[in-house]
Structures are given as C-alpha cells and as structure tokens.
C-alpha cells in the first residue's frame, strides 16, 4: 500500500501573503499535495493573489482569492469565517505575510519598528488565533507560522526583524502547548535567505557584497528558491507531523550550523 501520510486530499488550506514569493510557492505546493487552497493578500496586491489562484486551480483543486491585510485585525476573523463558508472547512493555516525593513539599530524609527512588529508578529498571532478558534472546535488543525533563521540568531541591520521573528518562535510554542489537547498542532518554518521580490527589493548591497555575505554564512553558497520551502510546509501540514508541535523547522541552507 502506498504511503499516504503526506497526502492533503480533502483538506483546505489558507495561505496569507500568497500573491508572490514564498507564499505563492507554498500555495501551489499545497495544491500539488491535494489541498484546496484559499489564497490571500492585501488589497493592493489582490491581482497577484488572483494569479496565484489560477496556478493553484491548474493543479486540479479548488481555490479562491481573498483581500486580507493582516494589519486590519478586525477583518481577520471575518476572512476566516468566509473561507470556512466557501470551502466548508479550514484544516491548514500558513501564516506567511511579512515584511523586512533593514536598518542599523541606531537608525530604526518608531514607524519602522511598529510596521515590522505589527505585520510579522501581531498579524501572525491574530490570524492564528482566528483560525485556532475554529480548529479547536473542529478538533483538528495544522498552523504553520513563517519564522526565519533570524528566529534563533542575529544579523546586523535586522533589529526589528529579529524581534518579530524571535516573537514568532515564542508564540508558536505557546499556542502549541495550549492547543495540543484539541488536536491542533502549531509549528513554524525558518527560511534562510531566499530569492523573493521583497528580499531583493530591500537589499541595497552590491552583488559582490551579497556574495561575500553568502559565502560567510551559508554553506549552501547561494540564496534558496521559494519552492525549497514547500516540502517542510507539506510535512507540517500533513498527518505525518501529528507528533510534531511547537517546533521551528529551519530551512536555512546551513546558516545556523556555522
């Protein structure tokens, strides 16, 4: 009999910030594993989310695109309710939406700090809370938060980002402990440097400076592709990970091994 542990047939996933980058790759990857996928992004990127929706549907599963800005906390429960209404259930939440504002600590403004924490940490918490309420009642669920290799280590120019991603690792553990008795696992993945539009746009360094940094920190010797995050998320979204909760799964190219 073939191993069915990574099969997501009959399940519904919601991926936030899935208009492009890692989020889009994860939405398509979950569809390839058999899940119906709700994609979402903020209103000004809804067209990108609709493009991802088309790619998901091309895998032969159901998809819908939703306008969801995780800064609008009051909108989050309504979006979760709408997904459940449209799909009949919600089994998997991937909290992907996030930003980075790289600046030396002496130059970080209150606006920079608030924007990073509000999206990367506050938004993740309240999306997980809204989905968690439904999953706890359902008696089953998989929540996967997007942390970083900077959830466990530091990097120059990343004070607010590190604070937010350390926080993601912390709330992941708390929710895992609270919701485990209800059949809901809560985990995180920690991507290392990944070639996404957001990362590339935020990087003002020269190509030589970037490569020198990669050579110093990454045994892999290169940035990763968004698709390289898919396997970790499918595992954590599947029944194979039933015994795994409160865990940060690093997909960091060896960054933290040095």
């Amino acid at each position: 009999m073939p191993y069915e542990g990574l099969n997501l047939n009959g399940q519904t996933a919601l991926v936030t910030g899935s208009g492009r980058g890692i989020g889009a790759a994860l939405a398509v990857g979950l569809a390839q594993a058999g899940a119906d996928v709700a994609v979402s992004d903020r209103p000004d990127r809804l067209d990108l989310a609709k493009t991802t929706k088309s790619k998901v549907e091309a895998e032969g599963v159901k998809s819908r695109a939703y306008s969801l800005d995780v800064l609008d906390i009051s909108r989050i429960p309504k979006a979760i309710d709408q997904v459940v209404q449209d799909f009949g259930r919600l089994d998997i939440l991937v909290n992907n939406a996030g930003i980075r504002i790289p600046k030396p600590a002496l130059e970080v403004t209150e606006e920079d700090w608030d924007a990073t924490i509000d999206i990367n940490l506050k938004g993740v918490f309240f999306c997980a809370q809204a989905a968690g309420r439904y999953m706890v009642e359902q008696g089953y669920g998989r929540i996967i938060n997007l942390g970083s290799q900077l959830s466990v280590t530091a990097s120059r120019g990343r004070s607010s980002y590190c604070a937010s991603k350390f926080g993601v690792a912390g709330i992941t553990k708390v929710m895992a402990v609270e919701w485990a008795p209800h059949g809901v696992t809560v985990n995180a993945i920690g991507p290392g440097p990944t070639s996404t539009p957001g990362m590339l746009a935020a990087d003002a360094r020269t190509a030589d400076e970037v490569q020198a940094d990669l050579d110093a920190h990454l045994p892999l010797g290169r940035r990763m592709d968004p698709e390289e995050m898919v396997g970790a998320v499918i595992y954590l979204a599947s029944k194979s990970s039933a015994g795994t909760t409160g865990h940060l799964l690093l997909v960091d190219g060896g960054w933290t091994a040095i």
Side-chain angles (χ1 to χ4, degrees), residues 46 57 78 116 144 151 224 233 251:
L46 187 56
E57 289 176 329
K78 297 174 185 177
T116 305
I144 302 118
S151 290
M224 286 163 288
V233 167
V251 190

Side-chain angles (χ1 to χ4, degrees), residues 205-241:
R205 297 173 298 174
T206 68
D208 287 344
E209 289 172 334
V210 169
Q211 192 57 51
D213 187 39
L214 295 177
D215 290 342
H217 291 101
L218 272 177
L220 200 61
R222 61 169 176 81
R223 282 192 175 112
M224 286 163 288
D225 295 322
E227 289 74 17
E228 290 178 279
M229 305 300 138
V230 171
V233 167
I234 289 176
Y235 164 68
L236 292 174
S238 74
K239 293 180 180 178
S240 289
S241 64

Side-chain angles (χ1 to χ4, degrees), residues 139-151:
Y140 178 85
R142 298 284 187 267
I143 295 175
I144 302 118
N145 299 322
L146 265 287
S148 167
Q149 92 275 16
L150 300 183
S151 290

Side-chain angles (χ1 to χ4, degrees), residues 74-91:
S74 66
R75 167 69 183 141
I76 292 171
K78 297 174 185 177
I80 297 294
D81 288 345
Q82 190 63 55
V83 170
V84 173
Q85 180 178 325
D86 292 342
F87 288 84
R89 59 186 302 116
L90 178 62
D91 306 283

